[in-house]
Amino acid sequence: MVKTFACSFTATNTDARSSISSVVARLRTLGIPSARADEVQIALTEAVNNVVEHAYADATPGDVRIKAELTHDRLWISIQDAGSPFPNGQLPEGKPADVNVPVKSLPEGGFGWFLIRELASQVQYERSEGSNNLTLCFEIQVTSPSAEA
Amino acid sequence: MSLTTTMTDGAQIVKVNAERIDAAMAIQFKEDMRTETEAGAERVILDLSEVQFIDSSGLGAIVAAMKQLGGGRKLDLAGLTPMVEKVFRLTRMDTIFDLYSSLSEATAPASANS
């Protein structure tokens, strides 16, 4: 059984926050265990923050579309926007922050891609027809009995 | 963003009265922390027990709050909910702060255990 749903919103921090909360609430009702839903929320938030901060950085905030597709053991989340492509058409590597530095040199950002890559099982990116299409895949053990493998 | 301060003998406790520290409020949080900690307490304990969600912007703002305390002062974190703790652990930021599971643990006499 495959369940899909989608939503779209304007790329601002406040709209992103409420839309992502709704998506994650819906995922919880579909039987995704709470701790995994937390992880999906972190990765999805980081991905959408990047759209707000980078893809639409030089333009009026455009739309972001989130589509979720849940199978018995996987959750696919795609995030689409019409903003700028990633530099060189490549996703950032997402290296872990170096914490072995003096306090004044500690990083205050740049954690986002590391978190996405840690939490998602798979990350795909495609630029087509002026849109960024980022897909995150999460392996999921759905707890609802109707969705057993 | 709402922060409230309680002064104790050994520390200033700053409680975050918000469910989230995220991209929408990270800059405000950092500025509010600057104002809140101006008095100069040597040890500041940030009570995060109300915070259910943090993203990398919020994490960066807490790191910034520690850095802006300056040398000789310390920012400890208390009452991390599981999701907040996960973000600190994954990014290894749990290694640069002292983390306490609760405020009472953070303020307990250090002599209680080694």
Side-chain angles (χ1 to χ4, degrees):
Chain A
M1 181 162 43
V2 178
K3 294 166 189 130
T4 62
F5 61 93
C7 70
S8 62
F9 54 93
T10 307
T12 65
N13 284 326
T14 43
D15 283 7
R17 176 199 284 180
S18 58
S19 300
I20 291 169
S21 295
S22 311
V23 168
V24 174
R26 182 109 179 236
L27 292 174
R28 289 182 201 275
T29 66
L30 292 174
I32 294 187
S34 184
R36 194 60 170 146
D38 283 349
E39 295 180 346
V40 171
Q41 184 172 9
I42 296 168
L44 180 55
T45 300
E46 298 303 337
V48 172
N49 281 353
N50 285 330
V51 174
V52 174
E53 286 164 29
H54 301 297
Y56 288 123
D58 304 323
T60 310
D63 286 340
V64 184
R65 183 175 166 79
I66 297 177
K67 200 177 93 184
E69 186 177 315
L70 180 64
T71 67
H72 68 281
D73 64 352
R74 277 184 170 68
L75 168 68
W76 298 87
I77 293 199
S78 66
I79 300 141
Q80 189 180 64
D81 67 79
S84 317
F86 280 91
N88 310 316
Q90 299 275 318
L91 295 179
E93 194 179 337
K95 280 187 280 197
D98 185 1
V99 295
N100 297 312
V101 295
V103 166
K104 63 178 192 319
S105 309
L106 283 169
E108 295 175 28
F111 310 110
W113 272 101
F114 175 72
L115 285 169
I116 293 169
R117 291 193 186 279
E118 279 290 296
L119 297 170
S121 317
Q122 224 185 97
V123 181
Q124 296 166 358
Y125 170 66
E126 185 189 51
R127 175 81 183 178
S128 67
E129 295 171 9
S131 288
N132 294 310
N133 300 283
L134 179 70
T135 305
L136 309 179
C137 176
F138 300 86
E139 284 167 25
I140 300 279
Q141 297 287 316
V142 176
T143 50
S144 107
S146 62
E148 267 176 20
Chain B
M1 163 137 250
S2 160
L3 303 175
T4 47
T5 276
T6 313
M7 295 303 299
T8 69
D9 285 348
Q12 173 184 8
I13 299 161
V14 179
K15 183 172 170 65
V16 181
N17 302 300
E19 279 190 18
R20 311 169 58 97
I21 308 177
D22 62 12
M25 57 174 26
I27 293 170
Q28 188 67 48
F29 172 82
K30 181 180 165 181
E31 287 314 308
D32 290 355
M33 277 297 285
R34 187 193 299 279
T35 312
E36 205 70 21
T37 58
E38 259 171 359
E42 239 176 66
R43 183 185 184 211
V44 177
I45 303 170
L46 190 63
D47 180 355
L48 292 168
S49 55
E50 295 290 315
V51 180
Q52 303 297 322
F53 181 81
I54 191 166
D55 65 8
S56 62
S57 309
L59 177 67
I62 291 178
V63 174
M66 176 186 64
K67 289 161 73 170
Q68 72 194 7
L69 284 182
R73 300 176 68 195
K74 193 165 182 289
L75 182 67
D76 292 343
L77 309 179
L80 285 75
T81 58
M83 133 75 106
V84 173
E85 192 184 353
K86 180 172 285 172
V87 171
F88 273 85
R89 191 165 37 75
L90 284 169
T91 55
R92 303 178 191 175
M93 287 293 145
D94 59 340
T95 63
I96 64 159
F97 293 94
D98 286 339
L99 270 52
Y100 298 90
S101 59
S102 66
L103 193 55
S104 54
E105 196 189 304
T107 54
S111 57
N113 45 49
S114 58

